[in-house]
Every structure is written in structure tokens, then in C-alpha cells.
Amino acid sequence: GQNIDQPTEMTATEGAIVQINCTYQTSGFNGLFWYQQHAGEAPTFLSYNVLDGLEEKGRFSSFLSRSKGYSYLLLKELQMKDSASYLCAVRDSDYKLSFGAGTTVTVRA
Amino acid sequence: IAGITQAPTSQILAAGRRMTLRCTQDMRHNAMYWYRQDLGLGLRLIHYSNTAGTTGKGEVPDGYSVSRANTDDFPLTLASAVPSQTSVYFCASSVEGAGTGELFFGEGSRLTVL
């Protein structure tokens, strides 16, 4: 099974940078995902890491360390529309995805 | 392009009633999933299907059943609904073994059991 931990809430100012940490314990690892979910909507895919290191995609970057069971999602140049819940998810060897409880990010003007 | 369609969008149901949540995808994805999302608990996997004709139990399968008669449809049935099944239900699909295997989600079905 998977045990995935991430902070419940974070608040940041428009234009700033926020880093959302995720730690996990897994019986089989086959990739780590980050999803964004706006209130009342479905989750949408943000990033995927299967090897150690940093993956950059525009204003969003995701980092993975498999030996430490650790990932972070970095949001740069925060915009009001980035206010959402960010879900860390780990895929096991059977291709099933387990999610953390999510981190609600509030961006203030 | 529809992607994944769920129905109904919202439903209020009396306890003890039978309910089927429908899920249809037009992306020809081989894998499909049902999750429930509750405040503070995140998304939890109920049942999944890696390919048509096969299904498997997830983290919280009790009280739910699924079938996968074809590639496109993956209905979730609550045989006798209970108040603890009040939740938002998301259907998702993915292409296993290719690319990132990211999940594509439907818009969700909000179910209230009274």
C-alpha cells in the first residue's frame, strides 16, 4: 500500500513562489504524479516523475528523490488562478494510483 | 471530443436504495477507475479495470460493485446505499504501459444518501 503525506494548506502572495512537499512510503513504485484540482472541478494532470531529478514545465516544476521517498511541486510567479488543491499521487507496480489528501493553495493579491 | 462522461452529475438518494453511476469514455483507454473524494481524505480508489472483462478491488471496495463489459463503459453500482457513501465520485481512465499513463477524470458525480 501507499502512505502519502502533504501539507493541508499553504498561502502565498501573487507573484511569489510556493513549494509543496510530498513524502511517501510505497510497496512498489512506478511513478509520481501531481494533479491540480480547482474547487468543484475534476483533477487535471500537471506533472510526472519516474526518475530522480527535476522536471520543468513552464511555471511549474516537480522534483523526485526515490531514495528519500520525497517529491515537491514548485509553483513560480504565482497567479490568482493558481488557487486550487494540489494532489500528490504515487503509482504502484500494478499501475494503480494512490493520492494524498491534497494541499490547498490560496494566492492572495 | 467528450473524453469521459459521468451521469448523473448529482443525485440525492434514500438509504437502502440501489444506485448505478454511469461512466463512458471515448478515448479507447484500456484502464478505468472509480474514486471517491471526501473532505480531508483525498481521492480513494474503489474499483478498477485494467482491460475490458477484468476488474479489481481498490482501497475501499465494500458496498460497491463494477462491471466492464466493453472498453468504453465502467458503471459503479451501490447495491443498498448507506449515508457513509455520501461523497463525490470520480471516474477516470488511462492508457497503461504507454507514455506517462496519466489519469483523465470525468467531471464527477455528487451523491447524497439520506
Side-chain angles (χ1 to χ4, degrees):
Chain A
Q2 324 285 6
N3 186 14
I4 303 169
D5 291 315
Q6 53 182 128
T8 303
E9 294 180 334
M10 301 183 76
T11 300
T13 304
E14 196 173 15
I17 298 173
V18 69
Q19 178 175 315
I20 306 169
N21 296 323
C22 173
T23 59
Y24 64 90
Q25 295 174 309
T26 177
S27 56
F29 180 82
N30 193 13
L32 188 138
F33 295 75
W34 285 94
Y35 283 79
Q36 180 189 59
Q37 185 177 25
H38 285 100
E41 298 182 6
T44 55
F45 170 77
L46 281 180
S47 70
Y48 167 73
N49 296 72
V50 67
L51 300 176
D52 290 352
L54 188 68
E55 293 285 339
E56 297 186 87
K57 190 186 292 186
R59 294 188 298 113
F60 294 178
S61 303
S62 58
F63 172 83
L64 174 67
S65 169
R66 288 171 297 170
S67 62
K68 295 182 179 178
Y70 169 70
S71 172
Y72 68 72
L73 179 69
L74 195 69
L75 287 64
K76 295 177 278 190
E77 301 170 18
L78 278 173
Q79 302 175 8
M80 299 300 288
K81 68 178 181 180
D82 297 330
S83 291
S85 184
Y86 292 85
L87 313 178
C88 175
V90 175
R91 184 169 65 188
D92 65 18
S93 51
D94 292 328
Y95 285 88
K96 297 194 302 295
L97 215 57
S98 295
F99 286 82
T103 299
T104 300
V105 172
T106 301
V107 181
R108 294 200 286 217
Chain B
I1 300 176
I4 296 184
T5 303
Q6 291 184 231
T9 303
S10 179
Q11 181 77 45
I12 298 174
L13 186 68
R17 297 296 296 269
R18 180 183 179 90
M19 178 72 193
T20 295
L21 303 180
R22 300 183 298 278
C23 176
T24 299
Q25 54 110 352
D26 62 2
M27 298 177 284
R28 307 303 293 173
H29 286 173
N30 50 346
M32 296 188 75
Y33 311 84
W34 274 105
Y35 287 87
R36 60 177 290 174
Q37 187 171 38
D38 304 288
L39 196 63
L41 296 177
L43 287 157
R44 292 181 292 168
L45 183 64
I46 305 170
H47 285 287
Y48 66 95
S49 169
N50 290 331
T51 189
T54 68
T55 62
K57 294 181 179 180
E59 182 185 357
V60 288
D62 295 342
Y64 306 94
S65 63
V66 292
S67 62
R68 186 88 184 278
N70 56 61
T71 297
D72 298 343
D73 301 301
F74 191 44
L76 176 74
T77 297
L78 289 67
S80 179
V82 295
S84 62
Q85 293 178 310
T86 293
S87 187
V88 179
Y89 291 86
F90 286 100
C91 181
S93 71
S94 69
V95 180
E96 281 194 10
T100 66
E102 69 192 77
L103 292 185
F104 294 83
F105 286 86
E107 290 303 308
S109 296
R110 181 175 297 275
L111 183 66
T112 302
V113 182
L114 300 175

